[in-house]
Amino acid sequence: MNSSENSHDPLVERALVGFDLAAEHHLANCAPCQKERERVQEALQSFGAANRQYAHRPEGFWEQQAARIRVAQQERAHRSRLTLTLAPGLAALVLLASVLLHRAPVPTPAQPAVQVDYDHELLVEVERAMQNGTPMSLQAATLMVEESDSSRPMNSVNSAKESRSHEN
Amino acid sequence: METTLTPVLGATAQHITAEEFDAIVRRHQRRVHRVLLMLLRDADEADNLTQECFLKAYQNFSSFRGECSLETWLLRIAANLARDHARSRKTSFWKRLLGFDDGADEVPTWHIAAPEASPEQTLLAREEVRAVWAVADQLSQQQRAVFLLRFVEEMELHEIATALGLQVGSVKAHLFRALQNVRGKLRDPR
């Protein structure tokens, strides 16, 4: 029987993939499918054996490979140990450098030399005193003005106001 | 043959000594190398990646939780390395075109050791192996890996699933399709 005409084809694959109860049940009662499975299985076994044979290496090869892996592993371990040892020191150095950079005095721009103008200073002082109140030197005169104001009769002020209102 | 981590190191091992690591290498290097050789079909690359696989395993040993066998875990690392390598090889189109990549893609058909077989049987077996390889070559990378782990390494479906990071159902689907192709090729080798 030509297997390409076998309508039970998928069952052969299913049986080959892994245990499949339905496929096994069918194959137990179907000689062509059973034969087909055996044929494919044989080819797959040859394929597996050929590949395993192909991958076969003499014992010395495995010894050399194991030795190379050991050396590479030791190198990596050494490198990582070195990194672990140096890393804190490097970090501390970087930190120290940054701290030192921040603490260094910042050069301030040079201030232009100021020429002290004594007359100007005096004027500013007088002005400030005028704003705050009467200067000490004029206190006597201020008192005199205040006294003369208080001695003037209040009526004269009122009559003046009234005369102005009558004018209207 | 399979060894779990427990007898060697204890289930919660976070670190291994150089001697323990050496013992692991010696126990599993053949299988790791063979799987890489099948996946890459380049002896030099298989050798390099076997070394890389064990170094990665050593580096990441703390991530191994003992949920699968140590060998399956190593094969997972190997499969990932092979996948990454295949990706990078895809980009080296010019290298292949100019013929600098001759060592790759050897087809191991001549390694059929059957001294008791007749010349006709040997020839037939060679043709079959060649046909199966031709099919394997046309499979997707994932399908090929599944196919090779099943029929060369004779791994169980759940082990393949763990090694390749797949569901068992996906493994079955990949195998089913691969087998359909193999049967088709065996029927009509042209």
Side-chain angles (χ1 to χ4, degrees):
Chain A
M1 179 185 171
N2 186 350
S3 59
S4 62
E5 291 163 9
N6 191 344
S7 59
H8 309 130
D9 267 0
L11 290 168
V12 175
E13 277 91 7
R14 276 168 59 182
L16 286 164
V17 164
F19 181 76
D20 186 309
L21 194 61
E24 290 300 331
H25 183 72
H26 169 78
L27 263 67
N29 300 302
C30 181
C33 284
Q34 211 167 14
K35 203 177 166 190
E36 177 68 3
R37 175 170 69 172
E38 280 165 17
R39 195 172 91 92
V40 178
Q41 236 166 4
E42 265 176 35
L44 291 170
Q45 276 166 1
S46 297
F47 176 74
N51 277 284
R52 286 191 292 274
Q53 187 72 18
Y54 170 67
H56 181 78
R57 297 287 184 274
E59 203 50 41
F61 174 87
W62 305 117
E63 285 293 327
Q64 281 181 357
Q65 190 183 61
R68 273 202 309 276
I69 292 170
R70 195 164 47 242
V71 168
Q73 179 264 318
Q74 282 167 354
E75 274 174 12
R76 279 199 192 179
H78 178 70
R79 240 181 291 154
S80 65
R81 263 201 305 274
L82 201 68
T83 312
L84 280 176
T85 314
L86 291 178
L90 279 171
L93 270 176
V94 169
L95 198 70
L96 190 70
S98 68
V99 166
L100 285 175
L101 278 172
H102 278 94
R103 284 186 63 184
V106 181
T108 47
Q111 292 282 335
V114 178
Q115 275 192 335
V116 182
D117 188 344
Y118 292 107
D119 291 340
H120 179 74
E121 260 189 13
L122 188 64
L123 276 170
V124 169
E125 218 170 285
V126 168
E127 202 168 322
R128 230 179 261 149
M130 290 290 284
Q131 278 170 0
N132 289 342
T134 315
M136 287 281 282
S137 52
L138 297 175
Q139 262 182 0
T142 313
L143 277 171
M144 276 175 65
V145 171
E146 279 174 3
E147 272 174 18
S148 65
D149 277 356
S150 61
S151 63
R152 194 190 297 171
M154 289 293 284
N155 294 344
S156 61
V157 178
N158 291 339
S159 61
K161 279 184 185 171
E162 277 170 13
S163 63
R164 252 180 273 154
S165 65
H166 288 302
E167 281 170 14
N168 296 331
Chain B
M1 184 63 194
E2 278 196 5
T3 313
T4 58
L5 186 65
T6 317
V8 186
L9 306 162
T12 55
Q14 294 292 306
H15 183 69
I16 49 169
T17 63
E19 288 74 30
E20 287 167 335
F21 176 65
D22 197 42
I24 289 170
V25 171
R26 286 171 187 281
R27 189 170 296 143
H28 302 289
Q29 66 182 147
R30 287 166 181 79
R31 197 169 202 186
V32 169
H33 183 267
R34 191 167 61 223
V35 167
L36 284 166
L37 186 63
M38 278 189 313
L39 295 176
L40 304 167
R41 282 197 283 148
D42 183 329
D44 291 337
E45 287 303 331
D47 201 17
N48 290 337
L49 290 192
T50 301
Q51 181 173 317
E52 193 55 38
C53 173
F54 282 105
L55 292 177
K56 260 187 187 278
Y58 183 79
Q59 225 172 357
N60 300 302
F61 220 88
S62 56
S63 67
F64 179 70
R65 301 266 173 258
E67 288 158 354
C68 59
S69 73
L70 180 59
E71 191 161 72
T72 305
W73 185 65
L74 288 169
L75 290 180
R76 187 170 191 160
I77 297 173
N80 287 338
L81 285 169
R83 188 196 56 211
D84 294 345
H85 177 79
R87 275 185 197 151
S88 71
R89 206 160 69 168
K90 261 185 196 170
T91 59
S92 62
F93 166 77
W94 291 105
K95 196 176 159 189
R96 293 176 134 220
L97 189 73
L98 296 170
F100 296 143
D101 209 11
D102 290 341
D105 296 343
E106 301 166 46
V107 180
T109 52
W110 54 92
H111 293 276
I112 298 165
E116 70 282 358
S118 67
E120 289 80 20
Q121 282 174 318
T122 307
L123 189 69
L124 186 68
R126 276 189 185 186
E127 282 311 309
E128 280 182 345
V129 170
R130 202 182 285 277
V132 178
W133 257 121
V135 171
D137 266 347
Q138 286 165 2
L139 297 174
S140 72
Q141 201 188 337
Q142 191 89 280
Q143 279 181 348
R144 193 165 73 209
V146 169
F147 182 75
L148 294 172
L149 290 179
R150 178 68 174 155
F151 294 112
V152 179
E153 287 306 310
E154 297 174 344
M155 285 169 72
E156 294 296 327
L157 299 179
H158 72 272
E159 287 178 316
I160 299 171
T162 308
L164 299 179
L166 297 171
Q167 299 290 318
V168 174
S170 303
V171 172
K172 282 183 179 176
H174 284 318
L175 278 177
F176 186 84
R177 269 180 233 128
L179 285 167
Q180 273 187 323
N181 292 343
V182 167
R183 284 189 65 203
K185 190 77 179 173
L186 289 176
R187 277 197 299 256
D188 182 13
R190 279 167 299 157

